[in-house]
Structures are given as structure tokens and as C-alpha cells.
Amino acid sequence: MECGKTFSRPTTLKEHQYIHSGEKKPFSCDQCGSRFSISSSLKTHQSPIHVTSVIR
Ligand SMILES: [Zn+2]
Ligand SMILES: [Zn+2]
């Protein structure tokens, strides 16, 4: 990577790459449009509110 960091999980790498892109909250809820800086926050948001959304 451009900063030399390595990540064991692809999702972590993807989240880190947004630092370079300048996007602070790249994860948006497709149900209500709420935005989150990390995917785990998005999933935490979706699980109680959008119970019908399938997260796999
Ligand atoms: Zn980097
Ligand atoms: Zn939502």
C-alpha cells in the first residue's frame, strides 16, 4: 500500500484505504442513508433497525 501498512483482513484494508481517498464516512445505509466511518458501525446500525436487510 502507499503507506506501507498491511492488514490481515480485506475489510480492514478497504476501510484504511478510505483514509487516502479522503472519504471519512464511506459506508452508507442503503435503507435510510445514514453514513458511517466503519463497516462494523453500519452493521450495528442495520441489525436492530433494518431487520429485513440481509447481511452476509
Ligand atoms: Zn495506507
Ligand atoms: Zn439505516
Side-chain angles (χ1 to χ4, degrees):
M1 302 313 298
E2 52 252 73
C3 67
K5 290 192 175 193
T6 56
F7 300 91
S8 55
R9 292 186 305 161
T11 51
T12 307
L13 171 60
K14 187 176 181 181
E15 291 171 6
H16 170 80
Q17 287 179 315
Y18 284 112
I19 296 175
H20 298 295
S21 67
E23 176 61 83
K24 291 189 171 56
K25 293 184 177 181
F27 300 95
S28 61
C29 176
D30 57 5
Q31 301 281 329
C32 70
S34 298
R35 301 184 68 82
F36 304 91
S37 56
I38 56 176
S39 60
S40 59
S41 295
L42 173 57
K43 291 179 180 178
T44 303
H45 158 83
Q46 287 179 320
S47 51
I49 299 177
H50 310 302
V51 293
T52 54
S53 63
V54 179
I55 303 173
R56 294 184 180 177

PDB file of all heavy atoms in Angstrom, residues 17-29:
ATOM      1  N   GLN A  17      -8.054   2.247   3.285  1.00  0.00           N
ATOM      2  CA  GLN A  17      -7.811   2.922   2.013  1.00  0.00           C
ATOM      3  C   GLN A  17      -8.631   4.190   1.874  1.00  0.00           C
ATOM      4  O   GLN A  17      -8.250   5.111   1.160  1.00  0.00           O
ATOM      5  CB  GLN A  17      -8.116   1.974   0.839  1.00  0.00           C
ATOM      6  CG  GLN A  17      -7.048   0.900   0.688  1.00  0.00           C
ATOM      7  CD  GLN A  17      -7.359  -0.050  -0.440  1.00  0.00           C
ATOM      8  OE1 GLN A  17      -8.478  -0.508  -0.593  1.00  0.00           O
ATOM      9  NE2 GLN A  17      -6.375  -0.364  -1.252  1.00  0.00           N
ATOM     10  N   TYR A  18      -9.731   4.256   2.580  1.00  0.00           N
ATOM     11  CA  TYR A  18     -10.557   5.455   2.515  1.00  0.00           C
ATOM     12  C   TYR A  18      -9.859   6.640   3.165  1.00  0.00           C
ATOM     13  O   TYR A  18     -10.194   7.787   2.901  1.00  0.00           O
ATOM     14  CB  TYR A  18     -11.906   5.203   3.191  1.00  0.00           C
ATOM     15  CG  TYR A  18     -12.825   4.383   2.339  1.00  0.00           C
ATOM     16  CD1 TYR A  18     -13.167   3.090   2.701  1.00  0.00           C
ATOM     17  CD2 TYR A  18     -13.367   4.917   1.167  1.00  0.00           C
ATOM     18  CE1 TYR A  18     -14.011   2.331   1.918  1.00  0.00           C
ATOM     19  CE2 TYR A  18     -14.203   4.165   0.378  1.00  0.00           C
ATOM     20  CZ  TYR A  18     -14.524   2.868   0.758  1.00  0.00           C
ATOM     21  OH  TYR A  18     -15.353   2.119  -0.022  1.00  0.00           O
ATOM     22  N   ILE A  19      -8.885   6.350   4.022  1.00  0.00           N
ATOM     23  CA  ILE A  19      -8.101   7.428   4.618  1.00  0.00           C
ATOM     24  C   ILE A  19      -7.366   8.185   3.527  1.00  0.00           C
ATOM     25  O   ILE A  19      -7.295   9.408   3.530  1.00  0.00           O
ATOM     26  CB  ILE A  19      -7.100   6.857   5.646  1.00  0.00           C
ATOM     27  CG1 ILE A  19      -7.858   6.201   6.796  1.00  0.00           C
ATOM     28  CG2 ILE A  19      -6.184   7.969   6.166  1.00  0.00           C
ATOM     29  CD1 ILE A  19      -6.941   5.501   7.799  1.00  0.00           C
ATOM     30  N   HIS A  20      -6.839   7.443   2.576  1.00  0.00           N
ATOM     31  CA  HIS A  20      -6.101   8.066   1.490  1.00  0.00           C
ATOM     32  C   HIS A  20      -7.033   8.752   0.510  1.00  0.00           C
ATOM     33  O   HIS A  20      -6.664   9.734  -0.128  1.00  0.00           O
ATOM     34  CB  HIS A  20      -5.262   7.010   0.756  1.00  0.00           C
ATOM     35  CG  HIS A  20      -4.239   6.358   1.634  1.00  0.00           C
ATOM     36  ND1 HIS A  20      -3.182   7.018   2.187  1.00  0.00           N
ATOM     37  CD2 HIS A  20      -4.127   5.080   2.078  1.00  0.00           C
ATOM     38  CE1 HIS A  20      -2.468   6.192   2.924  1.00  0.00           C
ATOM     39  NE2 HIS A  20      -3.019   5.006   2.888  1.00  0.00           N
ATOM     40  N   SER A  21      -8.213   8.245   0.363  1.00  0.00           N
ATOM     41  CA  SER A  21      -9.156   8.832  -0.585  1.00  0.00           C
ATOM     42  C   SER A  21      -9.790  10.091  -0.019  1.00  0.00           C
ATOM     43  O   SER A  21     -10.325  10.913  -0.750  1.00  0.00           O
ATOM     44  CB  SER A  21     -10.240   7.817  -0.960  1.00  0.00           C
ATOM     45  OG  SER A  21     -11.053   7.549   0.163  1.00  0.00           O
ATOM     46  N   GLY A  22      -9.737  10.266   1.307  1.00  0.00           N
ATOM     47  CA  GLY A  22     -10.289  11.462   1.914  1.00  0.00           C
ATOM     48  C   GLY A  22     -11.734  11.295   2.345  1.00  0.00           C
ATOM     49  O   GLY A  22     -12.299  12.189   2.955  1.00  0.00           O
ATOM     50  N   GLU A  23     -12.319  10.151   2.021  1.00  0.00           N
ATOM     51  CA  GLU A  23     -13.703   9.903   2.423  1.00  0.00           C
ATOM     52  C   GLU A  23     -13.739   9.452   3.864  1.00  0.00           C
ATOM     53  O   GLU A  23     -13.154   8.438   4.217  1.00  0.00           O
ATOM     54  CB  GLU A  23     -14.329   8.844   1.516  1.00  0.00           C
ATOM     55  CG  GLU A  23     -15.730   8.459   1.919  1.00  0.00           C
ATOM     56  CD  GLU A  23     -16.676   9.628   1.878  1.00  0.00           C
ATOM     57  OE1 GLU A  23     -17.194   9.947   0.806  1.00  0.00           O
ATOM     58  OE2 GLU A  23     -16.891  10.221   2.952  1.00  0.00           O
ATOM     59  N   LYS A  24     -14.392  10.222   4.714  1.00  0.00           N
ATOM     60  CA  LYS A  24     -14.393   9.885   6.139  1.00  0.00           C
ATOM     61  C   LYS A  24     -15.506   8.917   6.517  1.00  0.00           C
ATOM     62  O   LYS A  24     -15.371   8.137   7.438  1.00  0.00           O
ATOM     63  CB  LYS A  24     -14.514  11.159   6.984  1.00  0.00           C
ATOM     64  CG  LYS A  24     -13.259  11.996   6.898  1.00  0.00           C
ATOM     65  CD  LYS A  24     -13.295  13.123   7.893  1.00  0.00           C
ATOM     66  CE  LYS A  24     -11.946  13.832   7.979  1.00  0.00           C
ATOM     67  NZ  LYS A  24     -11.486  14.329   6.683  1.00  0.00           N
ATOM     68  N   LYS A  25     -16.619   9.000   5.820  1.00  0.00           N
ATOM     69  CA  LYS A  25     -17.711   8.085   6.120  1.00  0.00           C
ATOM     70  C   LYS A  25     -18.191   7.403   4.846  1.00  0.00           C
ATOM     71  O   LYS A  25     -19.195   7.790   4.256  1.00  0.00           O
ATOM     72  CB  LYS A  25     -18.869   8.834   6.792  1.00  0.00           C
ATOM     73  CG  LYS A  25     -18.493   9.336   8.182  1.00  0.00           C
ATOM     74  CD  LYS A  25     -19.681   9.983   8.859  1.00  0.00           C
ATOM     75  CE  LYS A  25     -19.315  10.407  10.274  1.00  0.00           C
ATOM     76  NZ  LYS A  25     -20.440  11.027  10.982  1.00  0.00           N
ATOM     77  N   PRO A  26     -17.428   6.410   4.412  1.00  0.00           N
ATOM     78  CA  PRO A  26     -17.712   5.765   3.133  1.00  0.00           C
ATOM     79  C   PRO A  26     -18.868   4.769   3.178  1.00  0.00           C
ATOM     80  O   PRO A  26     -19.393   4.394   2.145  1.00  0.00           O
ATOM     81  CB  PRO A  26     -16.404   5.055   2.803  1.00  0.00           C
ATOM     82  CG  PRO A  26     -15.824   4.740   4.142  1.00  0.00           C
ATOM     83  CD  PRO A  26     -16.237   5.874   5.058  1.00  0.00           C
ATOM     84  N   PHE A  27     -19.268   4.353   4.367  1.00  0.00           N
ATOM     85  CA  PHE A  27     -20.289   3.315   4.461  1.00  0.00           C
ATOM     86  C   PHE A  27     -21.650   3.946   4.726  1.00  0.00           C
ATOM     87  O   PHE A  27     -21.891   4.534   5.770  1.00  0.00           O
ATOM     88  CB  PHE A  27     -19.941   2.327   5.561  1.00  0.00           C
ATOM     89  CG  PHE A  27     -18.633   1.638   5.332  1.00  0.00           C
ATOM     90  CD1 PHE A  27     -17.473   2.119   5.903  1.00  0.00           C
ATOM     91  CD2 PHE A  27     -18.561   0.514   4.518  1.00  0.00           C
ATOM     92  CE1 PHE A  27     -16.254   1.498   5.678  1.00  0.00           C
ATOM     93  CE2 PHE A  27     -17.355  -0.118   4.286  1.00  0.00           C
ATOM     94  CZ  PHE A  27     -16.196   0.376   4.863  1.00  0.00           C
ATOM     95  N   SER A  28     -22.532   3.821   3.753  1.00  0.00           N
ATOM     96  CA  SER A  28     -23.863   4.405   3.892  1.00  0.00           C
ATOM     97  C   SER A  28     -24.910   3.304   3.932  1.00  0.00           C
ATOM     98  O   SER A  28     -24.811   2.295   3.236  1.00  0.00           O
ATOM     99  CB  SER A  28     -24.151   5.350   2.728  1.00  0.00           C
ATOM    100  OG  SER A  28     -24.119   4.649   1.512  1.00  0.00           O
ATOM    101  N   CYS A  29     -25.927   3.515   4.759  1.00  0.00           N
ATOM    102  CA  CYS A  29     -27.013   2.563   4.862  1.00  0.00           C
ATOM    103  C   CYS A  29     -27.931   2.720   3.656  1.00  0.00           C
ATOM    104  O   CYS A  29     -28.456   3.806   3.407  1.00  0.00           O
ATOM    105  CB  CYS A  29     -27.791   2.807   6.154  1.00  0.00           C
ATOM    106  SG  CYS A  29     -29.232   1.748   6.322  1.00  0.00           S
TER     107      CYS A  29
END
